[in-house]
Amino acid sequence: MSRKSLRPVTAIVLAISFLAYSQLVLSAEVTGRLLGAAVGSQDAAIKTSLGTWVPIAGKTYPVVDGAGLKTQTGVLLIAMKDSTKINVGKKSSLTIHGKSGQYSVKLDSGGIVFVLPESAGFTIATRTASVRVQATKGTVQKVRVNSQNDRVGVVVFDGTGTRVSSINGDFMVVNATGLTNHALSKGSAVYVAGVEEGFAVKKVQLAEEDKDDAAAATGGVVAGGAAAGGAAAAGGLSTGAVLGMVAGGAALAAGGIAAANSSGGGGSTLVPASPSTP
């Protein structure tokens, strides 16, 4: 075989080698940025690196640093590698940044319920407020069952103001000016108004819907409301479900998605963020 005839073969070999190398580099990059996994229902979607949106209804997708996610009629369940869980309600849009044990979420619209182990820190920002939850233990936890010590909160932003509820744990709520701080303790809630009201921070009642959404997210461990607690075993993210999602195995059980839809699935945006009477 002549040297000239070898050129196409050599080109093909080089192309295959380059493709394989590129896949290895891409895989290593994604692995290094991997935070956890998400599964959705209805029209839930995740944003790709090319800026396009991919439906993830009934599918398990990796969540990496910088991931964008959104819902309309569906919901999203997100499980991080350290057992942090985020349930995303209907009509929600958010972006996640960070690394294992330290996350930040930019909530553009809608609502979330977060379940945070003691080893993890968390920041949620909307246009009117930011919520800061500090880690209270130094060792990053691995996947495990829900704990009574998990910090559990609900954040809802309806485009005008932000409602923040503590189901369990202590949070710091800061308004958009950074001039007003409010320490939020278990069983309390605040509403941070928009620019028209100077981003005022107002104490409000803890909504029953927030308790129900939190019960669904935790399996009823922290907020054991009767009806929601019953659906929570299916709707919440169990240890087995988290392991399967993070490992890229089977998608979350259909019953989990169904329960999440019926119970609000975490941070139900059907409940307005506007304050109720204290």
Side-chain angles (χ1 to χ4, degrees):
M1 185 179 292
S2 68
R3 182 176 299 177
K4 185 175 181 180
S5 64
L6 284 174
R7 288 176 183 172
V9 177
T10 304
I12 292 172
V13 170
L14 287 173
I16 293 174
S17 299
F18 176 76
L19 179 61
Y21 175 75
S22 299
Q23 290 299 317
L24 285 173
V25 171
L26 179 62
S27 177
E29 180 184 0
V30 170
T31 300
R33 297 171 56 208
L34 182 65
L35 301 179
V39 63
S41 70
Q42 305 290 340
D43 48 16
I46 190 168
K47 195 173 187 179
T48 70
S49 58
L50 299 177
T52 57
W53 289 93
V54 176
I56 58 173
K59 303 173 184 176
T60 303
Y61 268 74
V63 173
V64 299
D65 177 30
L69 301 114
K70 67 178 181 179
T71 63
Q72 278 297 324
T73 60
V75 295
L76 275 165
L77 309 179
I78 306 169
M80 303 302 193
K81 292 188 291 184
D82 63 355
S83 81
T84 292
K85 294 184 285 291
I86 304 172
N87 284 18
V88 183
K90 299 175 182 180
K91 297 182 180 178
S92 299
S93 175
L94 67 152
T95 306
I96 298 176
H97 289 280
K99 59 183 180 180
S100 185
Q102 192 66 48
Y103 310 103
S104 65
V105 169
K106 182 177 180 290
L107 183 63
D108 295 313
S109 62
I112 65 171
V113 175
F114 62 86
V115 182
L116 199 68
E118 294 175 280
S119 58
F122 199 43
T123 301
I124 311 101
T126 71
R127 290 203 300 272
T128 71
S130 64
V131 184
R132 302 170 187 173
V133 188
Q134 293 186 333
T136 57
K137 284 189 176 180
T139 304
V140 175
Q141 299 285 336
K142 299 302 179 182
V143 176
R144 48 121 178 82
V145 296
N146 291 316
S147 167
Q148 292 284 355
N149 296 323
D150 284 347
R151 282 75 56 76
V152 182
V154 181
V155 180
V156 178
F157 177 64
D158 61 9
T160 302
T162 306
R163 189 179 76 247
V164 184
S165 304
S166 171
I167 308 300
N168 198 55
D170 298 325
F171 317 149
M172 181 62 69
V173 180
V174 184
N175 72 351
T177 66
L179 300 176
T180 303
N181 299 340
H182 182 87
L184 198 63
S185 58
K186 178 180 178 179
S188 59
V190 294
Y191 174 80
V192 184
V195 63
E196 297 82 2
E197 298 183 58
F199 303 108
V201 179
K202 310 171 184 180
K203 292 183 180 180
V204 296
Q205 287 182 328
L206 187 66
E208 289 300 321
E209 291 84 356
D210 287 351
K211 297 177 185 177
D212 290 344
D213 286 342
T218 61
V221 173
V222 175
L237 293 178
S238 66
T239 301
V242 173
L243 281 168
M245 290 170 71
V246 175
L252 195 63
I257 292 294
N261 273 316
S262 63
S263 67
S268 171
T269 57
L270 298 179
V271 182
S274 55
S276 56
T277 305

